[in-house]
Amino acid sequence: MATRTRKKERVAPERLMELSFAYAPPLIISAAASNKVFDSLANRAKTVGEVAKETGASERGLRAIMNALVGLDLLKKDRNKKYWLTPESAAFLVSNKPGTQAGFFGTILPQLAAKWIQLGEIVRTGRPVRAVNQETEGTEFFSQLVENIIPMSYPAGQALAEHLKVSRAKNEVRVLDLAAGSGIWGIALAQRSPHVHVTAVDWAGMIPTTKRITQKFGVAERFKYVEGDLLEADFGTGYDIAILGHILHSEGEERSRQLLEKTFRALKPGGTIAIGEQLVNDQRTGPATGLMFAVQMLVNTDKGDTFSVNEIKSWLEDAGFKKVRKVTAPGPSPLVLATKP
Ligand SMILES: C[S@@+](CC[C@H](N)C(=O)[O-])C[C@H]1O[C@@H](n2cnc3c(N)ncnc32)[C@H](O)[C@@H]1O
């Protein structure tokens, strides 16, 4: 008789207990950012009392979150109870640093987290409580979001400019930046060459933000702005490059397919479409951040989701694009590029 030699694996509750507290770190970072804890420690180590005096926040509250941040390796504390920044918090949580995420944690994260509280009900109905893919809700939310995600989109835009060798252009390069938001993808290309001219499309309520940021980066005179819903606005034609930065996930499959077809018509033959997205694998078994981002879309949009490269590839090919390829770039996922034959 065969004997069972495999030991039973121990099933333990510790991982679930840890997960039960997984909401705490982002909210602690958020509270520290909005109370300017990281800014206060940017120049030298300080005690809780000194940070309280400088920020106006309570000593009790600061002591609790600053100690928790030590536990999360985002602050250090010495024997004299002075706290200082780690290389990571110094680089990414001080508000005036170029790649800062202080705005995202301080301003955007609490708004997103508040909606997740209703996830059980959202799953029951399949409907978001307030959909940000609608212009009235969306303009207000995205006007705050877009500047805070520049640290994610800007390096990817620079990588795209590098990949497309924009700096070597001898003639005009016409760029269509769709769902432009801050305009940062077009800005990254415009900074590489004076030949780049960008048409930025977004809802009317977002365009003043796009204008302000293109002015801040000193490229506004080479930008044109088109107001309107992506499926209704007049994009014009004859573009060399079209960029869809972080928009397909909130549009969902049906509108994304229509948008790709419309973008195909706007490009010149030989033109390139570039898509920045949070991707998942074909079986939807990973990566975990992409899968959780799909829940973010459930919470915030009518039909949004995260998609795999092969799904996007098939929509691009149905729209007429060829040579669908991935390009490595900083950010959550590689870029997806394709060519209009
Ligand atoms: C997540 S932000 C991305 C901004 C920018 N492309 C980036 O990658 O940093 C999405 C942008 O799309 C715009 N948007 C969303 N749905 C839209 C629609 N149906 N029509 C026009 N603009 C839309 C929002 O106003 C926002 O500026």
CSV table of all heavy atoms in Angstrom, one decimal, residues 189-199 218-224:
chain,number,residue,atom,x,y,z
A,189,LEU,N,7.9,65.4,-25.5
A,189,LEU,CA,8.3,65.4,-26.9
A,189,LEU,C,8.8,66.8,-27.4
A,189,LEU,O,9.8,66.9,-28.1
A,189,LEU,CB,7.2,64.8,-27.8
A,189,LEU,CG,7.3,63.3,-28.0
A,189,LEU,CD1,7.1,62.5,-26.7
A,189,LEU,CD2,6.2,62.8,-29.0
A,190,ALA,N,8.0,67.8,-27.0
A,190,ALA,CA,8.2,69.2,-27.5
A,190,ALA,C,9.6,69.6,-26.9
A,190,ALA,O,10.3,70.4,-27.6
A,190,ALA,CB,7.1,70.1,-27.0
A,191,GLN,N,9.9,69.2,-25.8
A,191,GLN,CA,11.2,69.6,-25.2
A,191,GLN,C,12.4,69.0,-26.0
A,191,GLN,O,13.5,69.6,-25.9
A,191,GLN,CB,11.3,69.2,-23.7
A,191,GLN,CG,10.5,70.0,-22.8
A,191,GLN,CD,10.6,69.5,-21.4
A,191,GLN,OE1,10.7,68.3,-21.1
A,191,GLN,NE2,10.5,70.4,-20.4
A,192,ARG,N,12.2,67.9,-26.7
A,192,ARG,CA,13.3,67.3,-27.4
A,192,ARG,C,13.6,68.0,-28.7
A,192,ARG,O,14.7,67.8,-29.3
A,192,ARG,CB,12.9,65.8,-27.7
A,192,ARG,CG,13.0,64.9,-26.6
A,192,ARG,CD,14.5,64.8,-26.0
A,192,ARG,NE,14.5,64.3,-24.7
A,192,ARG,CZ,14.9,63.0,-24.4
A,192,ARG,NH1,15.4,62.3,-25.4
A,192,ARG,NH2,14.8,62.6,-23.2
A,193,SER,N,12.6,68.7,-29.3
A,193,SER,CA,12.9,69.3,-30.6
A,193,SER,C,12.0,70.5,-30.9
A,193,SER,O,10.8,70.4,-30.6
A,193,SER,CB,12.7,68.2,-31.7
A,193,SER,OG,12.6,68.9,-33.0
A,194,PRO,N,12.5,71.6,-31.4
A,194,PRO,CA,11.7,72.7,-31.7
A,194,PRO,C,10.7,72.4,-32.9
A,194,PRO,O,9.8,73.2,-33.2
A,194,PRO,CB,12.7,73.8,-32.1
A,194,PRO,CG,14.0,73.1,-32.4
A,194,PRO,CD,13.9,71.8,-31.7
A,195,HIS,N,11.0,71.3,-33.6
A,195,HIS,CA,10.1,70.9,-34.7
A,195,HIS,C,8.8,70.3,-34.3
A,195,HIS,O,7.9,70.1,-35.1
A,195,HIS,CB,10.8,69.9,-35.7
A,195,HIS,CG,12.0,70.5,-36.3
A,195,HIS,ND1,12.0,71.6,-37.2
A,195,HIS,CD2,13.3,70.2,-36.3
A,195,HIS,CE1,13.2,71.9,-37.6
A,195,HIS,NE2,14.0,71.0,-37.1
A,196,VAL,N,8.7,70.0,-33.0
A,196,VAL,CA,7.5,69.3,-32.5
A,196,VAL,C,6.3,70.3,-32.2
A,196,VAL,O,6.6,71.3,-31.6
A,196,VAL,CB,7.8,68.5,-31.2
A,196,VAL,CG1,6.5,68.0,-30.5
A,196,VAL,CG2,8.7,67.3,-31.5
A,197,HIS,N,5.2,70.0,-32.8
A,197,HIS,CA,4.0,70.8,-32.6
A,197,HIS,C,2.9,69.8,-32.0
A,197,HIS,O,2.7,68.8,-32.6
A,197,HIS,CB,3.5,71.5,-33.8
A,197,HIS,CG,4.4,72.7,-34.2
A,197,HIS,ND1,5.5,72.5,-34.9
A,197,HIS,CD2,4.3,74.0,-33.8
A,197,HIS,CE1,6.1,73.7,-35.0
A,197,HIS,NE2,5.4,74.6,-34.4
A,198,VAL,N,2.2,70.2,-30.9
A,198,VAL,CA,1.3,69.3,-30.3
A,198,VAL,C,-0.1,69.8,-30.3
A,198,VAL,O,-0.3,71.0,-30.0
A,198,VAL,CB,1.7,69.1,-28.8
A,198,VAL,CG1,0.9,68.0,-28.1
A,198,VAL,CG2,3.2,68.7,-28.6
A,199,THR,N,-1.0,68.9,-30.6
A,199,THR,CA,-2.5,69.2,-30.4
A,199,THR,C,-2.9,68.4,-29.2
A,199,THR,O,-2.8,67.1,-29.2
A,199,THR,CB,-3.3,68.8,-31.7
A,199,THR,OG1,-2.8,69.5,-32.8
A,199,THR,CG2,-4.8,69.1,-31.5
A,218,GLY,N,7.3,75.9,-20.6
A,218,GLY,CA,7.9,76.8,-21.6
A,218,GLY,C,7.7,76.3,-23.1
A,218,GLY,O,8.5,76.7,-23.9
A,219,VAL,N,6.6,75.5,-23.3
A,219,VAL,CA,6.4,75.0,-24.7
A,219,VAL,C,5.0,75.4,-25.2
A,219,VAL,O,4.6,74.9,-26.2
A,219,VAL,CB,6.6,73.5,-24.7
A,219,VAL,CG1,8.1,73.1,-24.5
A,219,VAL,CG2,5.7,72.7,-23.7
A,220,ALA,N,4.3,76.2,-24.5
A,220,ALA,CA,2.9,76.5,-24.8
A,220,ALA,C,2.7,77.0,-26.2
A,220,ALA,O,1.7,76.8,-26.8
A,220,ALA,CB,2.3,77.5,-23.8
A,221,GLU,N,3.7,77.8,-26.7
A,221,GLU,CA,3.5,78.4,-28.0
A,221,GLU,C,3.5,77.3,-29.1
A,221,GLU,O,3.0,77.6,-30.3
A,221,GLU,CB,4.5,79.5,-28.3
A,221,GLU,CG,5.9,79.1,-28.7
A,221,GLU,CD,6.7,78.5,-27.6
A,221,GLU,OE1,6.3,78.5,-26.4
A,221,GLU,OE2,7.9,78.0,-27.8
A,222,ARG,N,3.9,76.1,-28.8
A,222,ARG,CA,3.8,75.0,-29.8
A,222,ARG,C,2.7,74.0,-29.6
A,222,ARG,O,2.6,73.0,-30.1
A,222,ARG,CB,5.2,74.3,-29.9
A,222,ARG,CG,6.2,75.1,-30.7
A,222,ARG,CD,7.5,74.5,-30.9
A,222,ARG,NE,8.3,74.5,-29.7
A,222,ARG,CZ,8.9,73.4,-29.2
A,222,ARG,NH1,8.7,72.2,-29.7
A,222,ARG,NH2,9.6,73.5,-28.1
A,223,PHE,N,1.8,74.4,-28.7
A,223,PHE,CA,0.6,73.6,-28.4
A,223,PHE,C,-0.7,74.2,-28.9
A,223,PHE,O,-0.8,75.5,-28.9
A,223,PHE,CB,0.4,73.5,-26.8
A,223,PHE,CG,1.1,72.2,-26.3
A,223,PHE,CD1,2.4,72.1,-26.2
A,223,PHE,CD2,0.3,71.2,-25.7
A,223,PHE,CE1,3.0,70.9,-25.7
A,223,PHE,CE2,0.8,70.1,-25.2
A,223,PHE,CZ,2.2,69.9,-25.2
A,224,LYS,N,-1.5,73.4,-29.5
A,224,LYS,CA,-2.9,73.8,-29.8
A,224,LYS,C,-3.8,73.0,-28.9
A,224,LYS,O,-3.4,71.8,-28.5
A,224,LYS,CB,-3.3,73.4,-31.2
A,224,LYS,CG,-2.8,74.5,-32.2
A,224,LYS,CD,-3.5,74.4,-33.6
A,224,LYS,CE,-3.8,73.0,-34.1
A,224,LYS,NZ,-4.0,72.9,-35.5
